Amino acid sequence: MPDQSQLQPSAFNCEGGLVLNKSTFLMQPGEALELRNFEPDIEGGYRRINGFSKYVSAVVPYTSSASEKVLMVASFGDVVLAARGTSIYSATPGGSSWTSRDSGRTSADKYRFERFNFDGTDKIVVVDGANAPTVFNSSLAATNVSESSVSGSKFVTSFKNHMFYAGKSTTKQEVIFSQPFDEDAFSSGSGAGSLKVDDTVVGLKVFRDDLFIFCETRIFKLTGSTSSDFAVTAVTRNIGCVNGDTIQEFAGDLIFLGPDGLRTIAGTARIGDVELGTISSNVQSIFNDNLSSASEFDSVVIPEKTQYRIFFTKSGTAENQTKGVICVLKGQQFEFSEIKGIRPACTDSLVDEGNVIVLHGAYSNGYIYRQESGNTFDGEIIFGRYRSPDLTFNDPGIRKHMQRVILNYKPEASIDADLLLRYDYEDPDSARPAAYALDSTEVVAIYGTSTYGVPIYAGASQPLVRQPVEGSGFAVALKVHDGGQTAPYSLKGFQLEYQLGARR
C-alpha cells in the first residue's frame, strides 16, 4: 500500500489534440476535452493561435450595400486583388486605397481563380459563376475569355498546360479544356476539348500528375497529358465533396469535406469509401453540428505548420460565434482543435519566397485581413481555452489532495492567462479554487534565468512554473483560460503532485 503521506507525482505531455469521441476514462492525459483557439503545435504542445489584422487599411468598395461580402481575395504579384459587388479591385498590401480593374460583373457569386504562366507572363484567371472568365496580366489589364461555352464557369484550374473550366449552371457535369498554352483558345483540332462525368462538379484540384474532379456524390481522376490520351477513371462512386472550397493539398495528400467529415483522397481510395476514410472522427460532433450549412464554408492551408483550417461560415452566425476546426499532421497522426471568431467569406494562401501569406475577405464589413498576424482578431480579444480530461490517476475511488501543479510552457511575449483546477467532473458541490494567474508578474517560481516579477520572455524559453494549489477530489481537471489580450504561448506539459486520501 502506498505511503499516503508522500507526494505522488504524475506528469504528461500536451499531445493528442481535441478528443470528443471518447469517455473521459479512456482519454489519454495529454489529450484535450476543450481546445479552443489553440493549435496542436508541430514543435510539441498546444499553442494559442495568432490573430488577424487588416492587410489593406481601406474597405473594399461596395456596389449597393455596405454589408456586401467580399467575393474574392487573391495575392497576385505585388498586389492583392479583391472582388465585391460588381467590380474587381487591386491594392498594395498595407495601402490605403483600392483601384478598380474590372466592373459590370452582374450577378457575380463567389470567385475562384488560378495563377499561371503559359507565355512568360504571370497571369491570373478568375471565374464567378455568372460572367465570362477574366484574365489579368502582370499589368492588371483585364481580358475576358471569349468562348461562350465557358462563360458562367464556377471553377478553373491549369493542368498539363491546358486551362480547365467547369461548374456552368447549364452544364453541371461538363469540364471544358482549352488548347495547350492558351487559356482563350478552344479549337478541338488544336488540342482543346471537353469531357463529362455523371454527377454535378463541385471542384477541380490538380495533385501531382492528375486532375481530380470532385462531384456531389462521386470523385473522378483525369490522367494523361493531351487531348489524345486524357482518360477519366473513378476514385469513388459512393463519396463526394460537400463544398469545393474545402479542397486543399495538405501533408502530401488532398483533403476535402465529405458528408461524414474530413477525408483524404488516398484514404478514401485505399479503403473503398468506407467510414475509415474519415480522419476527423475525434471531433466528429463539431462537424455534425455544422454540416447541414456547408455551402459557405471555406478553408486555408498553412504549410510551415502542416496545418489545415476549415471555417464554418454561415449567413446567420455572427463572427464572434463562427466556429471552425484546425487539423495538424504530427508524425502519422492528425490532431485537432477548434477555432472561434474567424468568419471568412473567401480565402487565399500563397507561399512567396518562403513568406506564407494567408488572407481572408470579410463577410460583412468589406476588409481584407491577413491571418497569422497580431495578438487579436483585428482588435477583438482571442479567448483561448484548454481543458484536460478528468484525471483519476488510474484510481477513481481514492481521494487526491492536490498540492502542486508544475506547468511547462513556452511564452512568446508577456502573457495573460489563468490556470484553474476543477474537481469531480466539475460537480458544483466540489471544491472550486480561484484562478491562479499565469501572467508574467504573478507566477510563483520560474526555473531558468528569470526571477520573480521579471517578464518570463526574458528568462527561460520553456520555463517550469511551480504553482501550489488547493482542493481535493476523486478526479481533477486542469483548465487554462486567456485572461485578456495576450501574446501566443504554448502549453507543453504538466506535472500534478498530490497526496492520497481516503477511499470511498
Side-chain angles (χ1 to χ4, degrees):
M1 182 175 179
D3 184 350
Q4 293 183 324
S5 66
Q6 297 297 313
L7 285 181
Q8 307 291 319
S10 179
F12 60 89
N13 292 324
C14 292
E15 58 186 6
L18 181 62
V19 176
L20 302 177
N21 65 336
K22 293 181 184 178
S23 162
T24 189
F25 286 106
L26 299 178
M27 291 178 66
Q28 296 300 308
E31 296 172 340
L33 200 57
E34 183 178 17
L35 196 61
R36 176 178 296 170
N37 291 332
F38 279 85
E39 58 195 6
D41 191 348
I42 57 174
E43 296 182 355
Y46 304 138
R47 179 183 179 274
R48 218 298 308 279
I49 64 173
N50 293 98
F52 61 76
S53 58
K54 293 183 178 68
Y55 197 53
V56 178
S57 62
V59 171
V60 181
Y62 61 87
T63 299
S64 58
S65 170
S67 62
E68 289 173 350
K69 294 185 291 186
V70 177
L71 299 174
M72 178 185 71
V73 58
S75 293
F76 180 58
D78 296 329
V79 303
V80 57
L81 297 177
R84 197 178 183 203
T86 60
S87 298
I88 297 174
Y89 304 88
S90 70
T92 303
S96 59
S97 63
W98 293 91
T99 301
S100 178
R101 298 296 179 177
D102 193 26
S103 59
R105 304 184 67 87
T106 57
S107 303
D109 201 350
K110 186 175 184 176
Y111 287 70
R112 283 86 180 182
F113 54 86
E114 177 79 333
R115 291 173 280 254
F116 67 102
N117 189 324
F118 284 164
D119 57 8
T121 301
D122 289 334
K123 296 179 181 178
I124 185 171
V125 56
V126 304
V127 295
D128 64 12
N131 299 281
T134 300
V135 180
F136 294 90
N137 61 21
S138 56
S139 300
L140 301 181
T143 303
N144 286 344
V145 173
S146 58
E147 175 63 33
S148 61
S149 63
V150 300
S151 182
S153 294
K154 289 183 179 179
F155 313 109
V156 61
T157 195
S158 173
F159 177 66
K160 301 295 184 181
N161 301 313
H162 300 258
M163 195 63 71
F164 282 71
Y165 302 87
K168 191 171 179 177
S169 62
T170 55
T171 52
K172 296 180 179 180
Q173 296 82 25
E174 187 174 31
V175 180
I176 298 173
F177 54 92
S178 71
Q179 296 171 203
F181 300 102
D182 193 337
E183 68 280 2
D184 191 13
F186 294 87
S187 172
S188 58
S190 299
S194 65
L195 57 95
K196 287 187 177 181
V197 293
D198 58 345
D199 196 7
T200 298
V201 177
V202 299
L204 303 174
K205 191 70 175 180
V206 176
F207 181 60
R208 297 177 181 169
D209 290 327
D210 303 316
L211 172 63
F212 286 83
I213 303 167
F214 290 83
C215 301
E216 290 181 343
T217 61
R218 294 164 186 167
I219 302 172
F220 300 90
K221 178 174 67 175
L222 177 69
T223 58
S225 300
T226 67
S227 58
S228 62
D229 66 354
F230 281 149
V232 177
T233 56
V235 175
T236 169
R237 297 185 66 84
N238 298 316
I239 296 291
C241 175
V242 301
N243 180 326
D245 294 316
T246 66
I247 306 166
Q248 298 283 355
E249 183 173 347
F250 171 65
D253 205 341
L254 287 185
I255 190 171
F256 65 97
L257 182 61
D260 52 359
L262 291 178
R263 284 177 167 263
T264 61
I265 278 289
T268 299
R270 184 172 57 249
I271 50 75
D273 315 336
V274 298
E275 188 178 359
L276 292 175
T278 305
I279 65 171
S280 56
S281 57
N282 283 359
V283 290
Q284 192 59 42
S285 59
I286 300 178
F287 285 92
N288 292 342
D289 290 342
N290 291 280
L291 269 169
S292 62
S293 305
S295 62
E296 294 186 279
F297 291 3
D298 218 316
S299 65
V300 294
V301 166
I302 305 175
E304 80 273 25
K305 294 184 174 182
T306 323
Q307 184 178 126
Y308 170 90
R309 294 181 175 184
I310 181 170
F311 306 98
F312 300 144
T313 300
K314 303 175 188 178
S315 59
T317 303
E319 182 161 55
N320 63 1
Q321 296 299 312
T322 297
K323 295 183 179 181
V325 166
I326 294 174
C327 173
V328 177
L329 181 62
K330 296 178 68 175
Q332 300 300 313
Q333 301 295 321
F334 293 100
E335 294 188 8
F336 297 89
S337 64
E338 184 182 50
I339 322 168
K340 188 174 182 180
I342 306 178
R343 187 194 188 200
C346 53
T347 60
D348 184 29
S349 179
L350 178 69
V351 180
D352 181 19
E353 297 182 348
N355 183 28
V356 179
I357 302 172
V358 181
L359 304 177
H360 75 259
Y363 195 92
S364 60
N365 68 14
Y367 284 105
I368 302 298
Y369 295 106
R370 182 171 182 174
Q371 295 185 25
E372 296 295 284
S373 175
N375 298 331
T376 66
F377 291 151
D378 192 38
E380 297 296 322
I381 292 173
I382 303 171
F383 290 107
R385 296 287 186 266
Y386 160 78
R387 186 193 191 279
S388 74
D390 295 282
L391 306 169
T392 63
F393 311 106
N394 299 315
D395 193 338
I398 290 183
R399 179 174 291 277
K400 293 87 180 174
H401 299 278
M402 301 306 302
Q403 302 296 314
R404 185 181 297 115
V405 173
I406 301 176
L407 166 63
N408 178 210
Y409 73 118
K410 182 180 179 180
E412 298 177 17
S414 180
I415 70 168
D416 181 3
D418 295 320
L419 171 68
L420 302 96
L421 271 67
R422 292 294 179 259
Y423 294 97
D424 295 339
Y425 314 99
E426 303 205 50
D427 185 334
D429 295 326
S430 65
R432 298 178 68 86
Y436 304 101
L438 293 179
D439 61 33
S440 60
T441 60
E442 297 182 16
V443 296
V444 172
I446 300 172
Y447 290 105
T449 58
S450 61
T451 58
Y452 178 82
V454 177
I456 51 183
Y457 54 85
S461 61
Q462 295 190 36
L464 296 177
V465 177
R466 294 170 57 89
Q467 177 64 63
V469 297
E470 301 172 309
S472 66
F474 298 96
V476 61
L478 298 175
K479 291 184 172 185
V480 175
H481 288 181
D482 287 350
Q485 183 173 327
T486 185
Y489 55 96
S490 295
L491 304 175
K492 298 296 186 180
F494 295 88
Q495 177 166 301
L496 285 75
E497 297 179 352
Y498 58 93
Q499 290 178 321
L500 297 176
R503 178 175 291 278
R504 64 176 167 185

